[in-house]
Amino acid sequence: MARQIVLKNYMEDCVWELLDNVLAQDPEACKCDVCRHDIAALALNRLPPRYVVREEGAVYTKLAMLEAQYRADVYAALTAALMQVKENPRH
Ligand SMILES: [Zn+2]
């Protein structure tokens, strides 16, 4: 079988990975699908993209993915995005 090589924004995985943690810390936050996607989109627009070349289906460990240097930036972007969505939810 031919290997499928894909281009992927690594920040996207980081954002989805940490989104639930950020939502869990705010009991007032809406956790519906529209708000979750809005928060992820806003956060990703604030973060610099980090494109990587990957093999489709390959498994990457969470630890390798969530390097400390990105973690703080992703948390800050998600927190700011959550505030923005809370003020003006689209659901
Ligand atoms: Zn909502």
Side-chain angles (χ1 to χ4, degrees):
M1 211 173 98
R3 290 191 311 173
Q4 191 75 31
I5 305 300
V6 293
L7 193 59
K8 174 118 181 108
N9 183 3
Y10 169 96
M11 278 296 179
E12 210 177 309
D13 284 350
C14 295
V15 161
W16 286 118
E17 190 64 40
L18 293 177
L19 179 60
D20 287 329
N21 297 14
V22 172
L23 286 174
Q25 281 165 17
D26 188 343
E28 288 173 23
C30 175
K31 293 159 182 79
C32 83
D33 226 30
V34 176
C35 289
R36 289 167 59 90
H37 280 77
D38 277 346
I39 294 165
L42 284 168
L44 280 165
N45 284 337
R46 288 168 183 269
L47 292 161
R50 291 278 182 269
Y51 281 98
V52 291
V53 175
R54 281 182 181 174
E55 221 172 297
E56 186 98 80
V59 176
Y60 294 86
T61 66
K62 285 183 184 179
L63 271 182
M65 201 174 74
L66 293 173
E67 291 165 51
Q69 65 189 97
Y70 294 143
R71 218 184 161 90
D73 291 346
V74 172
Y75 255 112
L78 277 169
T79 304
L82 172 61
M83 293 303 144
Q84 210 175 321
V85 169
K86 271 172 80 174
E87 278 171 25
N88 200 2
R90 292 197 305 129
H91 57 233

